[in-house]
Structure formats: C-alpha cells, structure tokens
Amino acid sequence: MAEGTEQRGGRQVQLVITGMTCAACSNRIEKGLNRMEGVQNATVNLTSEEAVISFDPNQLDIEDLRKKVKDLGYGAMEKVDDRKALKEEELSHKRRRIILSALLSFPLLWTMFAHLGLPMLVPQWLLNPWVQWTFATPVQFFVGWIFYEGAWKALKNRSANMDVLVALGTSAAYFYSIYGMLNGSHHLYFETSAVLITLVLVGKYLEALAKGRTTAAMEKLLSLQAQTATVKMDGDWQVIPVEQVKHDQWILVRPGEKIPVDGEIVEGNSTINESMLTGESLPVEKTKGDPVFGGTINLHGALTFRATKIGNETVLAQIIQAVKQANASKAPIQRVADRISGIFVPTVVLLALITFLLHYFWLQPGNVEYALITAVAVLVIACPCALGLATPTSIMVGTGKGAEHGILFKGGEHLEQLSKVNVILLDKTGTITHGEPQVTEILSFQSEEQKLLQVVASIEQNSEHPVGQAVVKYAKERGERCGGVEQFTVYPGKGVAAIHEGQQYWIGNRRLLEEQGIDYSTSLNQLEQLEAEGKTVMLVASSNAVIGLIAVADQVKEDAKQAINQLQQMGLQVAMVTGDNQRTAHAIARQVGITQVEAEVLPTGKSDVVKHYQEKGFRVAMVGDGINDAPALATAEVGIAIDTGTDVAMEAADVTVMGSELQGVVNAILVSRHTMTNIKQNLFASLFYNSIGIPIAMAGWLAPWIAGAAMALSSVSVVLNALRLRHIPLQRK
C-alpha cells in the first residue's frame, strides 16, 4: 500500500516491507535507503512493517527504492490489497514450519537419553546414525533455511545477528555429526541442531503474533469522521461530501448528527459530546461564538456554524496524523541477545580458527582430525542454545504471567521499555475516575432529600442530558418511583423545566435561574463549595425559590489512590494530564495524592506533554483510555491502554490492561521489571558456560559431546530460571 504524496522539494512514499525479522533488519534497511543519493529521509518501522521515504523524484523513482530494498535482501511492495489476509498467510506459513520441525525433532530429542547414559530408554532404531540424519536434514536445510538467509543478509551487510548465531551453532553440530557418522562415532549431535531450530522458530512466531495493528487503529480513527455535511449553497441547504466543504461555508447540524468539520457557531444553542476529543464524559454547552470540532456529536438543539478548518486542518485529522507520525518515528528496540551476538559471534569464530591453527601447527602438528574436533568443540560450547533461549523464554513466561492478571503486552520490546520508565502520565477520565457522572450530594432546603430526588428524577427522565440521566439512575437504584410530569421544556445549555404533581420546577445552572428571575443567593456558599470540589451542580427551584442542590461528579476509582501510592513507592513520578478544567483536575488530583497536574490540555497537546518530559531526559509511560489519548499513547516510550476504553486507544498503545483498575498498571510494571531482571540473569548464565567452557575447549580438554552436554545444561538452567517468573507477587484486581 504505497501512499504517494507531493511535498515541498520532493515526494513521500509509503512502502510495505517484507522479510524483516529483528530490529537489526529495519535499521539496516533504513541506513541503506538514507545513503541513497536523492533520498531526503527514510524511516523504517519494524512493528508496522512499513517504510516512509521522502525523496527527490528528479533523481529517483519508486522502482529505484524497491530495488535498493531488494538488494539489501528484503521485499518492498507498493500496494497490498488485503493486508490482513497477507499477514494471516504469513502466520499460517510459520505455523506449518513449526509443526513440521517439531514432528521431526521429537524423535531426535528422545535420543538425548542415550547421551545421559540411559540408552535403554531409546528404541534401537532411533540410535541408527542414518535414521537421525534423515530426521535432522529437513529441519536443518528446509525448515531452517530462513536462518541461513538471515545470516547471509547480516554478513553481507557487515553485521551479525541472532540468525548468524543459530546458523553457526546448528551447522557446527550438524556437520560434526555427519563427520562422526561417516567415521563410526557414537557421539552425534543431530538433536542439538534440530531442537534449537524448532525453539527459535516458536519464538519468532510468538513475536509475529504480538506485532501491533496500527492499520486497524487508523481505520477506526478515520471512521469517526463525518462523511457528509449540510451546507448553505445559493440560499438552500444541500448535502455534500465532507471533502467538498470550503472555508467560511455555513453548515447545519441537527440533533444526533456528527459535526463534519471545525468551525464557529453563528446560530443556535446546544450541548455537544466532545468525549472522543477531550475524554470527558460530561457534554459541553455551546452557544453563538463558541468553537465546534469535527467528529464530535451534537446532542440537542440544531446548530449553524461557519467552517474555519477543513480537511487536514481539523483537530481530528491532526490526531490521526499525530498517531501516524509517532508510530513511524518510534525506533525499534535492539534486542539484548542481538547486541551481545554482534560481538559474540565474530569472537567465537575467531577463537575457533585460532584453536584449529594452534593445534594443527604447534600442539599436534599435521593432525587435521584432532585440530578439527577441537575447533568444533569450541563452536559447540558456544552454540547459542542458552543465549537464544535467554530472552524469548523469559518474555514468554513473563507475558504469560501478565496475561493471567489481565495484562497484554504487544511484544517483548514493550516489556523491556516499560521496565525503564521513570515517569507515569495518567489520563483522568476513565483512568483515574470511572468516566461517567454519578450523584455525590443531595441538599434539600424545604423537604426530605428523598422527595427532592423523586421530583428531579421524574423530570430528568424526559431529558437525554448525561447529568440528568445520572440522577435518574441514582433514583432507580434506590427504588424511587418516577412520573407525573407535564409541560416538559428543555433550555439548551441551561437546564429543564416541568410541572410535577401540579407544581412548577426549574432544574439547571445559574443562567437558567437568572433568566427566570429566581434568587439563588441563599445557596451560593454551598454551590461554590461543591463547584470548588470539581462537581457539576444542579440548582432545583420552585415557587421562585431554590429548594435544593444536587451535585454530580465523575468519581475516583476505588483503587486509584492505593495504586498511585504504589507507583510512587516504586520510584516513579506520577502526573495527571487531562483536557478538563483546572478546578476539577486539581480536585481529583488532591483525592489521589498527585501533585503534578497538566489540565486543559487539547488531544494533540497530550503528546506535547509527553515530549516535554522526554526532552527533560525522562522515559515516559502514558496511561489512557480515550481516542484523545491515542497520540500520547503512541508518542510515549510505552503506551498503556485501559481495556474499558476505546479500541483506538488500545491499538495505539503497547500494553493493554484488561478491566478498569489502575492496579493493572502497577502489575504491568512489576512484570516488566522482574522479567528484565530474569533475562539479565539468563544472559549471564548462558555466557558463564561459554566463558568457562571455551578456554577448556581451546585447550583440547573438552570433547564435543561434553560440550553439547554443557550446552544442554545451560539451556535447562535458563528455562528453569525463566519459570520462576510464574511466581511474581502480583495483586489480584
């Protein structure tokens, strides 16, 4: 799916890249493209498998770019009709290879009992060298051919990765086994090569499953945009595609319709649901002169507004672009094992060569067989069984432990990044709070609170306003009977009025009562106190007097304060970032123990807050649940989405916490920290065997079969250590 766009001084194209297996691949392609004359900038994203390339069309064309990628050993496609089907076919191909490799490797794995001194447990026919060769050869050269390809690509580009380690280690075991088989030796290592290839394939398959679905996130964001707009043309209202809307055109939006573009109201009053932008559950009252934003929903009155921003200028379009840019620019994480292998592989090859020359020319001159066996022992002891298992095994167990507690990591790289963060930015609505208004106080000045609640609920059940519906829900939960309402009237942006059981009532804000000439000064202190706590207050009046107040607010989640305290005890700075007003934001922050507050932040501004912390040298994790959080989730080192939120937020994030409790965020960080510690322990253990075994092998004191046993032992120790992650002390939510 090549998307070509003209830019000042050049052109930009987006290509689908195939054949990448690790961060080294994407880095290699990126460097190769950026070295081309005529390429202004190239960014390759491993997760989305896409390259965004800016180039001079007078010097290059798309075919030149594709050819360069192909020369580097990968594929580049201009268009993919069905990306999802392509990915599914790729996963299906990987599954078939794993099944075939496992079926052929299992009999060879069985023969390891013979190496352990228990040949009576192995069928005699499996000990036949030619039978073992028959099982091992398809695994080595058919199933495992991808490792030879990957190793060749890396070596051709003067680098070394995990593919080089796998190809080198399995080849040493395989070809030495053939040598032993032809010379009548009983020390064969066909099972070492076959089992290693199978295990590494499983790890690569799990990694492929975990890759992000940024394309789906983009599709959901695009679906929020209105498709048509009712505009005034030649004195009449006409429905046209939203792409044809022009600046300063007048647009009509009826109740329940999406606002097509950004603008300024010229006629009408209404309340607008802006939750997809701000994340706030309460609708916003709008009147003449107020701004409106594309993608938001008009709830009540009809509005006429003047288009001020269209196309890519709208706030929603900027959010979409921000998510695209953040995903494109996020650098893939270099795996720990790959970093080690860059030094380890050439060092081992050099040591094996030195060993051969040392024994052939000086220690046992002319003895080719002894020199070869000694050199092979060096390669076998350096076989990356444990090194190859060190990272993926820990990640597999760690992510599995997280999944048991409702924590879903999209990949091992995000697990690693989360362990390094030192700042947690929390969205307010839906993350710290429940995300829906709830009744908090009922103050009645003339009758019982129960009577006031019954009156207000009876009237508000005719309203669609979320604040009114919160009162209705509260009354129903307490078994109150609602009804007996006449002459119900809505005052957009102000409140409602009705007659209940023969009595006239007005329910709304200060403006409604002022218009009706009702004095509310006697309740002003209570009103201001509740508003200072960040609550929305409904004034209830009858017979030209205020008879009560009902306060509604988005309540803090039960576990929020405890979870935030735990995060702070873990050495993390915790800050709240929200589009809500300063008063409400600080009121919520005080309840949960947060001192750093970023309030009244626009959706695109949330990612700027993330960048602000990053520029100060912090590693940031952003926690959110709304569409408005998506750019910040994508910009942060790690984006954590609350599962009860929107699909777009979850797909833009790197980690998803199932359920709504913040304890899941605490558990996610604990899993990441324990897992990374475990990986470092595994890498140390695997390299410990090498550092001890390689000098012994170089001295000629280590037979290849003993080296193989040592490698098996190192693999067992790595797996057993990784399994300890099943006992991470996490709290149940």
Side-chain angles (χ1 to χ4, degrees), residues 11 120 162 272 298 309 351 377 382 441 522 531 638-639 693 702:
R11 186 186 177 198
M120 70 289 298
M162 201 66 207
I272 295 178
N298 181 28
K309 293 181 180 179
L351 290 175
E441 280 94 8
T522 56
E531 287 181 338
V638 180
L702 191 64

Side-chain angles (χ1 to χ4, degrees), residues 429-593:
T429 306
T431 302
I432 296 176
T433 65
H434 286 285
E436 60 179 21
Q438 298 175 348
V439 174
T440 59
E441 280 94 8
I442 300 176
L443 302 179
S444 180
F445 304 141
Q446 294 184 3
S447 61
E448 295 181 358
E449 291 183 2
Q450 181 181 359
K451 174 61 177 176
L452 180 67
L453 175 61
Q454 183 185 26
V455 170
V456 175
S458 296
I459 295 173
E460 289 289 357
Q461 70 177 349
N462 296 285
S463 169
E464 296 177 354
H465 198 287
V467 172
Q469 288 302 303
V471 177
V472 174
K473 180 181 178 183
Y474 183 81
K476 288 182 176 178
E477 288 174 350
R478 279 147 187 77
E480 298 295 337
R481 298 180 63 183
C482 304
V485 174
E486 300 174 359
Q487 299 181 24
F488 177 80
T489 306
V490 176
Y491 296 86
K494 302 166 190 173
V496 298
I499 295 175
H500 176 67
E501 296 181 353
Q503 182 72 36
Q504 177 72 50
Y505 292 94
W506 289 271
I507 305 169
N509 56 26
R510 305 184 196 201
R511 282 195 296 164
L512 177 64
L513 269 62
E514 288 168 357
E515 287 183 0
Q516 301 301 320
I518 301 173
D519 181 20
Y520 57 86
S521 59
T522 56
S523 58
L524 189 59
N525 288 339
Q526 295 99 320
L527 175 64
E528 291 179 344
Q529 181 180 345
L530 291 170
E531 287 181 338
E533 295 172 1
K535 297 170 182 176
T536 299
V537 185
M538 305 167 67
L539 290 155
V540 185
S542 178
S543 302
N544 294 321
V546 175
I547 63 171
L549 302 176
I550 296 182
V552 174
D554 187 5
Q555 294 286 75
V556 170
K557 293 178 180 177
E558 290 74 14
D559 77 322
K561 185 174 183 179
Q562 179 184 349
I564 289 168
N565 183 52
Q566 285 182 268
L567 292 172
Q568 292 167 338
Q569 289 179 351
M570 292 164 70
L572 297 164
Q573 289 190 40
V574 182
M576 185 172 74
V577 55
T578 177
D580 211 343
N581 61 69
Q582 293 281 353
R583 184 186 64 198
T584 302
H586 282 279
I588 295 296
R590 284 193 297 271
Q591 291 183 51
V592 296

Side-chain angles (χ1 to χ4, degrees), residues 224 272-286 291-297 315-316 319 426-431 433 435 554 576-581 598-606 622 624-631 646:
L224 296 171
I272 295 178
N273 182 353
E274 294 185 345
S275 60
M276 53 78 64
L277 286 179
T278 65
E280 306 312 317
S281 55
L282 296 176
V284 181
E285 298 169 357
K286 298 283 185 176
V292 291
F293 305 100
T296 59
I297 300 173
V315 172
L316 179 58
I319 290 177
L426 300 175
D427 171 50
K428 179 181 76 69
T429 306
T431 302
T433 65
D554 187 5
M576 185 172 74
V577 55
T578 177
D580 211 343
N581 61 69
E598 304 282 347
E600 298 178 6
V601 180
L602 294 174
T604 50
K606 288 190 176 183
M622 173 70 195
D625 73 322
I627 293 165
N628 61 302
D629 301 318
T646 64

